[in-house]
Amino acid sequence: MKNWLFPTLLACLATGVLPASATDDDKALLKKAKKIHEKAFTVDTHADTPMLLSRGGFDVTKENDARTTNSKVDYPRMKKGGLDAIFWAVYLGQGPRTPEGHEAAKQKALGIFDAVHATLKSTASEAELATTPQDALRIGKTGKRAIFIGVENGYPMGHDVSMLKKFYDLGARYMTLCHSSNNDICDSSTDPKGAEYQGLSPLGEQVVAEMNRLGMMIDVSHVSDSTFYDVVRLSKVPIIASHSGAKAVCDHPRNLTDDMLKALAKNGGVVQLNLLSDYVKTIPPSPEREAAQKAMLEKWGVKDRRSMMGAMSKLSEEDQKKIRADFMELNQKYPVQLATVKDAVDHIDHIVKLIGIDHVGMGADFDGGGALADCFDVSQYENFTIEFVRRGYTKKDIEKIWSGNFFRVMKAVEKSAPTEMIGK
């Protein structure tokens, strides 16, 4: 397939009408990709959809417009994109590291769990909670969407390691140890103050041991390099990076270096590709957007977007709505230049060449910033399979990327748990 023609074909995919210039080879490639995508069991390991559910007023059973609602995931679009299963993240931004702060975060996290379970109960004809790969495959055969749960940021557990069992019992099957700032568990890759522990704290070491015991996957997305190596050293089972990329392709502190990827492979783990454009490709700066964003942030008394995420947790629901509206207006007036599917698959190529096909998957971070020009929401996920086929990946390779590799890790972690915990 001609490289110059490929974007045109992707643009036409939604309508099903190919351009007159499409060759027989083009048509054959698309037919092959469509067949593979329809048969593969597809999993996205990170979406922040619960943020929309917990606010109320969001109908996950209807096809929402991604650009007017700022939502990237719902059941109709999952079906349209051929996405069988997804991990919804119980996400908490980093707040005050005090007893009061931890208690407030815990209650908020439990509220988000409640919102997820309430949604699944009210939409039981369309989706179902999954806690094991076997659950997901069973649910998929019924035509429903399989919904897994993860926790993003260990902050709401405070210093109470027993909360991990609580999260597990509520359905969580992984926890991202931190977010954009250091917490009491570990150092973050993006804390402006730098390292605090040079990796895991003593509490963090207890967390790793307890997650291994429970059979709960340890997620190293967002953690610092030193934290990553501490986790690899201490974990007795494979680990995951639920939404990350390759630093050699895009030099961002959130991405994994080649040495980290090699250590991840040696550990038996898997890195799931994040589709947030800033982590996929170095985007040229836009002075106009940066100036407008700076003015907007100053209006709310914060210096950067990372600070805003923490500040929002302290604001009223009304002010949070105003901030979201400000960001939507900013994005409409000064659109962000987005990376492409081709840019994202460059990460897959690099990882596969470096450590093999068995250690990579998909974790877009939709509803948390993930979006590409030609995969703006889950409805366009077939575009990835088309690009995989175009680059010569086999059906078996593609099935590994879409779920095989991640499910292998998930099963390995399950085996570390007591028998009575599995599938609970």
Side-chain angles (χ1 to χ4, degrees):
M1 179 181 289
K2 300 180 182 67
N3 285 336
W4 61 267
L5 182 58
F6 181 63
T8 305
L9 291 178
L10 287 186
C12 296
L13 185 64
T15 64
V17 179
L18 292 174
S21 54
T23 67
D24 288 344
D25 286 346
D26 298 329
K27 296 172 185 176
L29 187 151
L30 288 177
K31 183 178 180 180
K32 178 180 179 181
K34 188 174 185 65
K35 185 176 180 181
I36 292 172
H37 195 74
E38 285 176 349
K39 291 189 174 182
F41 193 86
T42 53
V43 179
D44 179 329
T45 58
H46 192 87
D48 285 298
T49 311
M51 287 198 294
L52 299 173
L53 302 178
S54 60
R55 290 173 198 157
F58 177 73
D59 190 345
V60 75
T61 68
K62 293 182 179 179
E63 184 170 344
N64 296 274
D65 185 288
R67 297 185 186 276
T68 59
T69 66
N70 206 30
S71 74
K72 304 296 199 306
V73 179
D74 53 43
Y75 300 154
R77 281 182 288 173
M78 286 180 70
K79 187 173 183 179
K80 182 182 286 188
L83 183 62
D84 297 301
I86 196 164
F87 271 78
W88 281 351
V90 174
Y91 160 73
L92 269 293
Q94 188 59 46
R97 291 162 57 182
T98 61
E100 296 78 13
H102 286 133
E103 179 61 25
K106 179 179 77 173
Q107 295 305 322
K108 187 169 183 180
L110 294 175
I112 297 171
F113 272 109
D114 287 345
V116 170
H117 286 289
T119 297
L120 292 176
K121 183 177 180 180
S122 66
T123 62
S125 63
E126 298 182 61
E128 189 176 329
L129 178 68
T131 59
T132 68
Q134 293 83 359
D135 280 347
L137 295 171
R138 172 187 57 77
I139 293 165
K141 288 178 181 177
T142 70
K144 297 181 185 181
R145 303 303 105 181
I147 307 298
F148 289 97
I149 301 175
V151 174
E152 185 176 22
N153 196 358
Y155 172 51
M157 65 156 270
H159 292 182
D160 184 1
V161 177
S162 70
M163 281 304 299
L164 293 169
K165 173 70 161 50
K166 176 70 172 176
F167 295 156
Y168 185 95
D169 289 345
L170 288 170
R173 287 301 178 266
Y174 75 66
M175 186 174 79
T176 318
L177 297 183
C178 66
H179 193 248
S180 58
S181 301
N182 302 337
N183 60 18
D184 287 7
I185 295 171
C186 66
D187 292 332
S188 166
S189 62
T190 52
D191 193 309
K193 296 178 182 177
E196 188 172 335
Y197 312 104
Q198 307 304 321
L200 288 169
S201 70
L203 172 65
E205 294 182 358
Q206 294 178 47
V207 167
V208 167
E210 178 64 2
M211 290 179 72
N212 278 180
R213 189 191 73 81
L214 290 171
M216 191 174 184
M217 292 176 286
I218 300 169
D219 180 18
V220 294
S221 289
H222 286 289
V223 308
S224 69
D225 292 9
S226 53
T227 298
F228 169 90
Y229 286 114
D230 278 354
V231 173
V232 168
R233 174 176 55 84
L234 292 174
S235 180
K236 300 183 187 308
V237 294
I239 64 173
I240 66 167
S242 71
H243 56 303
S244 294
K247 196 168 186 179
V249 180
C250 180
D251 188 9
H252 191 285
R254 272 278 283 106
N255 289 335
L256 307 182
T257 67
D258 282 0
D259 284 344
M260 292 166 76
L261 289 168
K262 290 175 183 177
L264 184 79
K266 188 175 181 180
N267 162 270
V270 63
V271 54
Q272 305 288 109
L273 183 62
N274 189 316
L275 303 187
L276 200 153
S277 285
D278 284 346
Y279 305 156
V280 173
K281 183 180 182 179
T282 302
I283 305 297
S286 166
E288 296 85 358
R289 178 183 170 85
E290 288 178 3
Q293 178 171 287
K294 182 180 178 183
M296 189 204 76
L297 294 173
E298 287 177 349
K299 167 185 169 183
W300 290 100
V302 293
K303 60 182 180 180
D304 55 36
R305 288 199 66 166
R306 285 199 294 270
S307 301
M308 175 64 83
M309 298 184 80
M312 282 187 72
S313 64
K314 307 172 189 175
L315 298 175
S316 67
E317 283 293 324
E318 183 179 349
D319 280 345
Q320 289 185 36
K321 288 179 182 178
K322 290 178 181 178
I323 290 174
R324 289 192 288 270
D326 282 352
F327 269 115
M328 286 190 71
E329 183 180 347
L330 176 74
N331 289 335
Q332 289 170 0
K333 193 169 183 179
Y334 304 101
V336 177
Q337 182 181 335
L338 298 176
T340 65
V341 168
K342 180 182 179 299
D343 296 325
V345 179
D346 286 345
H347 285 255
I348 300 280
D349 277 355
H350 177 80
I351 294 166
V352 169
K353 288 173 183 174
L354 184 72
I355 59 175
I357 191 65
D358 296 323
H359 304 283
V360 68
M362 301 296 297
D365 203 6
F366 284 133
D367 290 337
L372 301 178
D374 44 359
C375 189
F376 197 70
D377 64 13
V378 291
S379 72
Q380 296 180 297
Y381 250 152
E382 189 175 322
N383 289 348
F384 269 90
T385 300
I386 294 170
E387 180 68 1
F388 293 148
V389 172
R390 190 179 77 82
R391 297 199 188 194
Y393 286 91
T394 66
K395 177 177 178 290
K396 185 177 180 181
D397 292 338
I398 294 168
E399 289 171 345
K400 285 186 174 185
I401 293 169
W402 274 120
S403 64
N405 294 334
F406 187 83
F407 279 171
R408 169 186 58 77
V409 171
M410 197 170 184
K411 289 174 182 176
V413 175
E414 283 177 0
K415 288 180 180 178
S416 71
T419 305
E420 66 271 17
M421 298 291 293
I422 305 302
K424 184 171 180 179

